[in-house]
């Protein structure tokens, strides 16, 4: 299942109402880059808004709206607002679990992290120890 959410904004510029939108594929964006500030350039680019224009400046001060969540995004979208902190953590956890599963497949032939008792905990502990040792 894909992890996606629709991002949009509605604003007036030069007497016209604009409603740029994009479907954000959360599997393609690094969790640490998932911030409102990082979404404005993506929204502008996908809708042909020049980042050096007054239209872009108006877009930047317009609140972002979120809807049509798929996958993990469904748990972090409430009343058009996205819980960025919670979603970033969930995506990072999913990314880590996928990496750990690949390690388990490559080195142990395991098909899931639940296959051996304590496998996931051991791999997470090793991962964390390696991260701290940097």
């Amino acid at each position: 299942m894909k992890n996606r959410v629709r991002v949009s904004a509605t604003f007036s510029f030069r007497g016209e109402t604009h409603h740029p939108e994009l479907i954000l594929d959360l599997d393609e964006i690094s969790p640490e880059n998932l911030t409102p500030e990082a979404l404005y350039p993506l929204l502008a680019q996908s809708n042909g808004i020049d980042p050096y224009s007054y239209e872009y400046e108006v877009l930047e001060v317009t609140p972002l709206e979120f809807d049509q969540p798929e996958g993990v995004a469904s748990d972090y979208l409430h009343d058009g607002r996205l819980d960025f902190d919670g979603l970033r953590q969930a995506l990072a956890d999913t990314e880590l679990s996928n990496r750990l599963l690949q390690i388990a497949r490559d080195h142990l032939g395991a098909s899931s992290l639940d296959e051996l008792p304590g496998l996931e905990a051991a791999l997470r502990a090793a991962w964390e120890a390696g991260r701290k040792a940097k």
Side-chain angles (χ1 to χ4, degrees), residues 36-127:
E37 297 77 23
L39 297 182
Y40 284 105
L42 296 175
L43 186 58
Q45 180 183 20
S46 70
N47 287 272
I49 298 173
D50 185 342
Y52 299 103
S53 67
Y54 289 122
E55 182 179 9
Y56 182 79
E57 289 181 19
V58 174
L59 171 62
E60 278 189 310
V61 297
T62 303
L64 296 174
E65 301 163 12
F66 301 90
D67 64 358
Q68 298 180 5
E70 295 179 35
V72 71
S74 299
D75 296 332
Y76 298 94
L77 180 65
H78 307 285
D79 299 323
R81 298 206 183 275
L82 196 61
D83 173 3
F84 282 94
D85 293 334
L87 182 56
R88 268 193 303 274
Q89 186 61 52
L91 290 171
D93 287 346
T94 299
E95 185 178 311
L96 178 56
S97 289
N98 290 338
R99 287 180 182 185
L100 296 180
L101 177 57
Q102 191 59 52
I103 292 168
R105 284 181 180 150
D106 293 347
H107 296 279
L108 302 171
S111 59
S112 84
L113 292 174
D114 299 330
E115 194 169 304
L116 299 168
L119 175 61
E120 184 173 10
L123 289 173
R124 281 186 182 269
W127 184 274

